[in-house]
Amino acid sequence: MPFFCVRCGECCSQMGSVHVVERELETGGFVMANLYTGERHEVEIDPALACLSPDRRIFERWSGACPFLREKPGTGEICCIVHRTRPEICREYRCWRLLVLNASGRRVGRVMERRHLAADDPALQQFWDRHIAVLREDDDACWDEQAILLLTEGGYRVQR
Ligand code: SF4
Ligand code: SF4
């Protein structure tokens, strides 16, 4: 199953403390520094997204966002304006291990890290608290199988 990014932007919403613009290049590109690893990476704003660059309203919502994060007006869609040249760490990123969909196929939650649920739907959160948060299973693979079975019995679909 390919990674299913819904462009919510949450993964980049705190990355301003990691990725900083070190300098602007004469070519119009930028040198990004990763403050954690010390790596440097040159990026260019995608021409098709350049019109979004001056619009910095996203930082009113997420003051710690990556400097290249923007919202496409009127769509609710968040995007990376250097998407084509973004660093490797951003290319490899997957925000979830298990994706939980409701009966209509809409995303209602993501299981992140070992067992953390990021719920988009209060009903799923209630189901999780009642049936899954109480699971006593140390083995991660077994826990995954049990959680998936319970979610499936509860009418959800799980992708991984
Ligand atoms: S990778 Fe995940 S958190 Fe980031 S925009 Fe896509 S769905 Fe949202
Ligand atoms: S460079 Fe793009 S993908 Fe990477 S953190 Fe910034 S906005 Fe997100």
Side-chain angles (χ1 to χ4, degrees):
M1 170 58 62
F3 177 49
F4 178 35
C5 174
V6 296
R7 299 190 170 86
C8 67
E10 288 165 23
C11 53
C12 308
S13 65
Q14 303 297 324
M15 290 300 278
S17 58
V18 179
H19 291 151
V20 298
V21 175
E22 195 169 71
R23 63 193 159 90
E24 190 167 350
L25 300 168
E26 287 179 4
T27 57
F30 301 88
V31 175
M32 283 176 77
N34 183 319
L35 296 183
Y36 283 8
T37 65
E39 289 171 283
R40 304 287 190 276
H41 185 88
E42 288 186 19
V43 294
E44 289 176 6
I45 294 176
D46 297 357
L49 300 173
C51 58
L52 300 179
S53 183
D55 183 353
R56 300 181 60 82
R57 281 176 293 179
I58 191 96
F59 300 103
E60 293 168 14
R61 186 192 329 177
W62 290 323
S63 59
C66 173
F68 296 111
L69 196 65
R70 296 291 186 275
E71 180 169 2
K72 288 185 176 173
T75 67
E77 190 177 303
I78 311 295
C79 66
C80 165
I81 58 172
V82 297
H83 183 77
R84 293 196 310 185
T85 52
R86 68 197 186 284
E88 204 60 34
I89 189 176
C90 304
R91 293 176 187 276
E92 292 173 352
Y93 183 76
R94 290 172 58 112
C95 66
W96 46 267
R97 295 191 309 106
L98 304 173
L99 189 68
V100 186
L101 310 174
N102 66 9
S104 316
R106 186 172 65 83
R107 186 191 88 174
V108 287
R110 290 162 290 159
V111 179
M112 304 161 109
E113 300 173 342
R114 282 183 72 220
R115 300 174 183 191
H116 171 72
L117 174 71
D120 303 314
D121 183 285
L124 173 62
Q125 186 67 61
Q126 284 175 9
F127 182 90
W128 184 274
D129 292 344
R130 183 173 306 164
H131 300 287
I132 299 184
V134 294
L135 279 177
R136 293 289 168 259
E137 173 58 66
D138 290 336
D139 182 83
D140 287 341
C142 292
W143 184 91
D144 278 8
E145 294 309 322
Q146 291 178 36
I148 290 169
L149 182 64
L150 286 164
L151 285 162
T152 305
E153 289 173 351
Y156 296 101
R157 281 200 290 128
V158 181
Q159 294 177 355
R160 54 176 159 181

